[in-house]
Amino acid sequence: LKAAGLVLLLLPRRWQIAIAMGAAGCKVTQAPRARKIQLAATPLGPQVPGLPVAYHTSVAIDGEEFSFGPSGLVASNIFKSHDLFTNGPAEVVDCGTTLRTGRELKAALQSDFSAGTYDMLRKNCNSFSMCALFFLTGQRFDTKYRMMEQMGKYADEHMGLIRAVSDYVPNPKAVAFNVEAIIDRIKFAREGTGQHSKVQESYKIGQPIEVYSATFETWVGARVQNIRQDGEVTVVYNGQKCRKTVSAADLPTIIRPFQGGNQDRWATVCHTPCPLVG
């Protein structure tokens, strides 16, 4: 026992307090740790005077890189996705810190950036990096990283220019993609963080609401069917054939008050049987 006491005295003060609290039956909760955020960018192809540069970008959290490509959202060693390009990454920008983890980032955006949905102009690495950075910091990245692709998208949609001079073929799974819709959803969730009980109390059984479908990338008209004491809310739609249960923590992200218009306007997206939304 004496030896154990001497060892305890040699430990850092915060460890001594934690051990003492544990011995007294107190629950010790580790404080959230700030994690470093970085944005990596590599220019693609030769720079043409007077035109913006195309970029490949990715986001890193404490040395773990997250990027988007044909295989979907991928986590890897820091900036591995830039190894495919000469001298990549050419630019690494420190973007502050976050209390969010890589696991939380993947959970929030995995369904939006799934495998097989990549499109060079409409849904690419920069679309993901923009959403990821906003999820982690609430800030957008420099518009220079997306300027070239936005010009290309405009030229292709209005004149078919990109398809005429290259082998580019639009991905039908990316045609309806809207990065601003994801940004709005993240913003809504960030504003609701720490207010789950207030959000839950604002809903009533039978109330018309809207639930977000990641599959269809839109808000679906629904009604509140049940509210549990722990804040969990169950919603139904499409003539009560479809049902989704949302935890209190996810309410700000998944559910919002009905925005008006035709309550059943999205009923056709769901076909029986359909237990979940997106």
Side-chain angles (χ1 to χ4, degrees):
L1 292 176
K2 289 183 178 180
L6 289 174
V7 172
L8 181 61
L9 290 175
L10 293 174
L11 292 175
R13 180 62 176 168
R14 64 180 183 278
W15 289 18
Q16 295 179 23
I17 295 174
I19 293 172
M21 291 179 67
C26 300
K27 183 178 180 180
V28 180
T29 302
Q30 186 176 7
R33 178 174 61 86
R35 297 169 175 83
K36 184 178 180 180
I37 307 168
Q38 293 174 296
L39 174 72
T42 299
L44 307 177
Q47 184 172 359
V48 179
L51 289 178
V53 179
Y55 286 92
H56 167 66
T57 63
S58 64
V59 172
I61 306 175
D62 267 4
E64 183 179 19
E65 181 192 41
F66 296 88
S67 60
F68 174 65
S71 299
L73 197 170
V74 176
S76 59
N77 294 331
I78 192 164
F79 307 140
K80 183 178 180 180
S81 70
H82 294 259
D83 291 345
L84 300 172
F85 309 103
T86 305
N87 299 323
E91 181 181 346
V92 177
V93 181
D94 290 333
C95 302
T97 60
T98 182
L99 297 180
R100 295 184 182 274
T101 65
R103 179 178 296 181
E104 290 174 326
L105 175 65
K106 290 187 69 175
L109 297 178
Q110 186 90 61
S111 60
D112 296 304
F113 294 93
S114 56
T117 64
Y118 179 89
D119 185 283
M120 183 179 72
L121 298 178
R122 292 167 174 81
K123 186 179 182 182
N124 58 25
C125 59
N126 300 320
S127 309
F128 166 74
S129 295
M130 181 176 177
C131 293
L133 198 62
F134 194 83
F135 175 80
L136 296 170
T137 68
Q139 303 294 322
R140 297 171 182 261
F141 68 5
D142 196 317
T143 56
K144 73 177 184 179
Y145 299 119
R146 299 188 68 217
M147 189 172 294
M148 186 62 175
E149 71 201 46
Q150 289 178 320
M151 289 178 59
K153 178 183 176 183
Y154 180 88
D156 191 70
E157 288 180 345
H158 292 80
M159 296 172 284
L161 182 60
I162 305 301
R163 276 171 280 189
V165 299
S166 71
D167 58 358
Y168 167 71
V169 177
N171 186 344
K173 294 182 179 180
V175 171
F177 177 75
N178 185 347
V179 69
E180 292 301 327
I182 299 177
I183 294 293
D184 287 345
R185 191 178 87 233
I186 295 172
K187 183 178 180 181
F188 181 80
R190 289 181 64 89
E191 291 174 348
T193 301
Q195 303 179 30
H196 301 316
S197 61
K198 292 182 180 179
V199 172
Q200 184 266 342
E201 290 169 1
S202 67
Y203 295 113
K204 307 295 180 185
I205 293 177
Q207 176 184 345
I209 53 92
E210 292 182 345
V211 59
Y212 188 81
S213 168
T215 300
F216 299 100
E217 298 181 346
T218 190
W219 291 90
V220 179
R223 289 185 182 276
V224 177
Q225 183 186 55
N226 186 47
I227 302 175
R228 292 179 25 151
Q229 290 185 348
D230 62 2
E232 185 178 85
V233 174
T234 299
V235 302
V236 294
Y237 64 103
N238 193 21
Q240 299 191 17
K241 297 174 184 177
C242 302
R243 179 180 293 105
K244 183 176 181 68
T245 299
V246 183
S247 67
D250 290 335
L251 284 180
T253 310
I254 306 298
I255 293 178
R256 72 182 185 185
F258 183 53
Q259 302 295 298
N262 182 2
Q263 170 69 14
D264 298 319
R265 67 190 184 281
W266 297 116
T268 56
V269 303
C270 181
H271 304 282
T272 306
C274 178
L276 298 176
V277 176

